[in-house]
Amino acid sequence: MSENTDLHDSEAQSNRTSRDLSRSRRTILQATGTSVLALGGLGSVTSSVAAQEATLPPLARDENQIVDPDGNEVILRGVNIADPGEQSRNWRGQTAPETFRLATDESQGWHTNIVRVPVMPAFIAAATRNPQPGQMPHDDDWGPALPGQFDRDDLRWYCEAFLDDLVELGAQRGAYVMIDYHRHYPVFHQEDHKNHGVDPTVWQCSSDGGEDWRHPEVCGERGVLWHGEDQVDEIWDLIHEQNILEAFDLEEDDIYLEPPEITNALDEELHMFWEVIASRYAGDDHVIFDVYNEPTGPYGGDWGGPQRQAGELSDPAVAPGSGEADDYDVAHEDMKAWYDLWVDRAQPWVDTVENNADGQLITIGSPRWSQYTYWAPYNEFDAENMCYTAHVYTQDNLRPLSKYFGEPSEHVPVFFSEFGWIEGGGNHVDTPWMDCSGEHGGDCEPYIQEYEEFIENYDVHPLAWSFDHTYEPNMFEHGTPGANDGAKGADDWMNYLNDETPGVWWHELNQELAGDRDTIAPGEDPYPDADNGKNDKHVGPGPIDGDETISVGDHEARDTNDDGLYDDVDGDGETTHEDVDAFFENLESDGVQDNPDAFDFDENGQIGFSDVLELLRRT
């Protein structure tokens, strides 16, 4: 692999933006059948003379909403497709552009205004070995290469081979494109999963995941952990403070943390990825940057390791040992410490995106496979248009959705960017966090009903997983994995909507929701009246106390250093001149007058202008 500068990226950007977007489009998918709700009802693939065309303006964060340039609230609804490199494999039947066209084809009932595109390191690294579509390192389509296995040239090859066309299609078809850095964990290659009944010839790997799993040719990595080399001591402190070893029946040797060569390589990879991607698509107003798909461990629980399944996934309802399961609930106040570490780790990656594509929407996941969304309002990332993602399937310990994902969506923009279910279990291996096998005993209807109510009652941006025949929960039916028979008929897999996953359901709901805040006005100014600052719950790093705020006018004042004085009057997590202004303007408010000890900055036993001057002196 070679070292490269960003000059090539600038040239590519200039060339790309000068393309004639009115050029003839490729054939789009249009079904001729009378009903797409019945399996097999999409009919044949034909040309369409009614190709969609739209001008997509930049969007902005306005408090907890996404708004268009006219200030109107916009709800983005759509789907996830498979990695476009994955879809280039011959056995899959259809390419990513063909999938994208169907997903945005209103004539077929798909009222999709956003498509999330997962970009997986394994497919980027394909260029390192053989820069042809469909070629993979290790000849394997699940095991992601460890960090550092691709360079800038590989990433540019991936953009030219796959992403450029999808970004252009989004502009043509009126759909925002969310580009997602998507590190995934290959459960089939873990030592712990070797007896799950999957034919080893299906997933070709050169190792059994034993002691030599660290070698680059091995596919045994179960998802790189997100922590930094400098955070190890803090992580161990939290492990002991939160009694994790005893609660989960673990020894210290059971705790897996990444070695420095992996954590540092991950950091370098994230910066390189977003320097190339963000600069390449800067100015494409319809591109959204999803900084990190699903950060895995560490979190408040047992996150397992490359050869040991995570305890939280094995038995999500119970914390073994003498610990109480509720102590490790996502919303337990002690869990914020893990989210704080994540923000500290990932803020530089967010900075890289913003520095290369200033003003475009940015999203990011959270620890435990993007399940810590609850804490996003309390410790926000710094970026002009910062949004957050939430992923949930049928995990009972993330119900009700209103608590874990609805409450944060009332304060920050939340993209509900992965959700779904599988009736009866997956086609590859049993997936208890998808198969409705929890407290409802295999009945998926309660989960489906809750999804509908959640999407109706909260201003979230839902993207169902997955508009594909293989990525589970697969919205279309598929054939036998690894048998090279693709889906049913291979080339016509889109004819078979799946009624045992969100396929048929999302298609119907997508049509019912059409017209609800999905018309986007271009406007003349990019972001009129948009408030893209931190929300009123933001306290920054550190513990929180539900009773720690005092209402002062329109603000929630906070004590930032536990000295009893509420010097963060505007509640933004720090003490600045804005707090002095807010204090002066609300000096006679009930919140101040009823809590004199909290605002007696000059310690004279009275509240007056001298306290304002003392607060000014302290800033």
Side-chain angles (χ1 to χ4, degrees):
M1 288 178 284
S2 59
E3 285 292 323
N4 301 281
T5 67
D6 283 333
L7 177 60
H8 196 72
D9 296 334
S10 299
E11 294 171 350
Q13 167 71 5
S14 176
N15 292 336
R16 187 187 53 71
T17 54
S18 65
R19 292 176 185 163
D20 180 4
L21 295 183
S22 65
R23 68 184 183 181
S24 298
R25 289 190 206 87
R26 302 173 187 170
T27 301
I28 71 168
L29 296 171
Q30 182 178 28
T32 59
T34 58
S35 172
V36 294
L37 298 183
L39 300 182
L42 284 180
S44 61
V45 177
T46 66
S47 298
S48 171
V49 295
Q52 297 156 219
E53 189 77 47
T55 300
L56 292 172
L59 300 176
R61 168 181 172 169
D62 190 358
E63 298 182 348
N64 70 321
Q65 297 180 348
I66 302 298
V67 297
D68 65 20
D70 272 355
N72 303 313
E73 181 186 11
V74 171
I75 296 294
L76 297 173
R77 298 185 195 90
V79 295
N80 293 262
I81 64 173
D83 180 291
E86 166 81 83
Q87 293 193 70
S88 74
R89 297 168 69 82
N90 293 333
W91 64 268
R92 282 188 136 264
Q94 300 292 343
T95 64
E98 290 170 317
T99 306
F100 195 109
R101 289 186 180 97
L102 177 61
T104 55
D105 192 343
E106 292 182 4
S107 73
Q108 298 305 320
W110 293 108
H111 298 269
T112 296
N113 59 4
I114 182 171
V115 175
R116 184 169 178 252
V117 182
V119 176
M120 297 183 177
F123 291 97
I124 303 171
T128 304
R129 307 300 175 89
N130 189 347
Q132 298 294 324
Q135 296 298 309
M136 290 286 296
H138 332 309
D139 292 325
D140 173 78
D141 66 339
W142 272 89
L146 289 174
Q149 301 303 303
F150 64 86
D151 65 12
R152 293 174 188 268
D153 278 343
D154 299 330
L155 189 51
R156 294 187 187 105
W157 163 81
Y158 183 95
C159 292
E160 293 165 2
F162 305 119
L163 284 186
D164 288 353
D165 286 345
L166 297 182
V167 169
E168 185 173 312
L169 269 176
Q172 293 172 353
R173 300 185 64 78
Y176 289 82
V177 179
M178 178 181 284
I179 298 177
D180 161 42
Y181 173 85
H182 198 99
R183 272 204 169 274
H184 208 275
Y185 67 106
V187 294
F188 304 108
H189 302 306
Q190 285 183 250
E191 192 78 7
D192 192 51
H193 286 264
K194 64 183 179 182
N195 297 320
H196 275 202
V198 179
D199 186 342
T201 62
V202 172
W203 316 107
Q204 299 172 13
C205 240
S206 58
S207 170
D208 62 1
E211 294 182 358
D212 63 344
W213 66 272
R214 274 281 169 213
H215 291 229
E217 70 274 11
V218 177
C219 307
E221 177 68 52
R222 191 195 62 83
V224 176
L225 303 187
W226 56 257
H227 69 85
E229 177 185 5
D230 60 341
Q231 296 178 311
V232 171
D233 289 343
E234 292 177 89
I235 291 169
W236 275 109
D237 287 343
L238 284 176
I239 290 169
H240 293 302
E241 289 171 8
Q242 297 180 5
N243 198 34
I244 287 175
L245 296 178
E246 183 179 358
F248 288 89
D249 267 345
L250 301 174
E251 302 293 334
E252 287 198 357
D253 289 344
D254 293 324
I255 298 295
Y256 175 77
L257 294 172
E258 294 284 4
E261 62 266 25
I262 299 299
T263 61
N264 294 334
L266 178 68
D267 182 62
E268 294 172 4
E269 180 174 291
L270 262 296
H271 285 294
M272 176 187 68
F273 181 92
W274 287 116
E275 285 169 3
V276 173
I277 296 294
S279 63
R280 189 180 189 94
Y281 303 114
D284 285 302
D285 295 330
H286 66 294
V287 173
I288 300 170
F289 302 110
D290 193 17
V291 178
Y292 204 118
N293 166 52
E294 291 181 345
T296 54
Y299 52 82
D302 173 17
W303 55 84
Q307 299 177 42
R308 187 176 64 81
Q309 179 64 287
E312 192 73 22
L313 294 180
S314 303
D315 194 2
V318 178
S322 60
E324 296 292 334
D326 289 345
D327 292 345
Y328 305 98
D329 180 80
V330 165
H332 190 285
E333 62 182 15
D334 289 347
M335 297 304 102
K336 181 177 179 292
W338 299 99
Y339 191 86
D340 290 345
L341 284 175
W342 161 243
V343 173
D344 183 61
R345 169 64 158 163
Q347 180 63 55
W349 305 332
V350 171
D351 292 342
T352 293
V353 177
E354 190 166 51
N355 290 340
N356 286 277
D358 186 29
Q360 289 177 240
L361 287 184
I362 298 175
T363 63
I364 197 167
S366 58
R368 213 181 79 168
W369 291 270
S370 291
Q371 297 169 12
Y372 269 47
T373 315
Y374 181 88
W375 294 109
Y378 292 91
N379 188 8
E380 287 214 54
F381 284 87
D382 285 320
E384 182 179 358
N385 283 301
M386 194 70 221
C387 309
Y388 302 88
T389 62
H391 294 180
V392 62
Y393 292 92
T394 61
Q395 300 99 326
D396 292 320
N397 61 354
L398 292 172
R399 263 65 185 184
L401 298 177
S402 58
K403 173 181 179 180
Y404 295 96
F405 306 106
E407 288 184 17
S409 76
E410 294 177 332
H411 302 278
V412 298
V414 170
F415 283 76
F416 200 50
S417 55
E418 284 192 27
F419 64 96
W421 69 89
I422 308 174
E423 290 187 10
N427 193 60
H428 302 312
V429 296
D430 290 338
T431 49
W433 57 94
M434 289 185 184
D435 65 7
C436 312
S437 62
E439 64 182 37
H440 298 294
D443 181 7
C444 292
E445 189 58 35
Y447 299 101
I448 298 171
Q449 182 177 347
E450 187 176 13
Y451 283 138
E452 291 183 3
E453 293 174 352
F454 176 69
I455 291 169
E456 178 182 356
N457 293 331
Y458 291 94
D459 292 339
V460 296
H461 307 273
L463 294 91
W465 183 278
S466 168
F467 202 83
D468 188 50
H469 59 65
T470 299
Y471 283 18
E472 295 181 336
N474 46 300
M475 294 171 65
F476 297 84
E477 294 189 0
H478 52 45
T480 306
N484 292 325
D485 60 355
K488 291 185 176 180
D491 287 338
D492 65 345
W493 64 268
M494 293 180 183
N495 290 5
Y496 298 91
L497 269 174
N498 197 338
D499 63 353
E500 296 181 345
T501 70
V504 171
W505 168 82
W506 185 242
H507 186 259
E508 293 175 338
L509 187 61
N510 187 252
Q511 294 174 70
E512 292 177 16
L513 295 173
D516 178 16
R517 293 167 291 175
D518 56 9
T519 301
I520 304 169
E524 296 184 359
D525 297 319
Y527 308 123
D529 302 323
D531 180 3
N532 44 33
K534 293 182 175 64
N535 78 100
D536 60 4
K537 275 185 172 289
H538 175 79
V539 295
I544 67 164
D545 182 342
D547 298 322
E548 70 175 354
T549 66
I550 297 175
S551 296
V552 176
D554 294 331
H555 308 288
E556 293 294 324
R558 301 178 186 275
D559 176 5
T560 59
N561 55 11
D562 295 327
D563 65 353
L565 295 173
Y566 282 57
D567 50 359
D568 177 20
V569 181
D570 64 6
D572 68 350
E574 54 187 355
T575 302
T576 64
H577 286 288
E578 283 73 16
D579 295 294
V580 178
D581 293 339
F583 184 35
F584 175 71
E585 293 169 359
N586 295 280
L587 195 59
E588 301 301 321
S589 69
D590 291 342
V592 172
Q593 295 300 318
D594 293 346
N595 298 278
D597 291 344
F599 300 98
D600 186 15
F601 296 107
D602 65 359
E603 299 180 347
N604 69 354
Q606 300 177 7
I607 298 298
F609 185 67
S610 61
D611 295 296
V612 177
L613 296 177
E614 176 60 22
L615 180 59
L616 175 63
R617 188 190 66 80
R618 295 184 179 202
T619 58

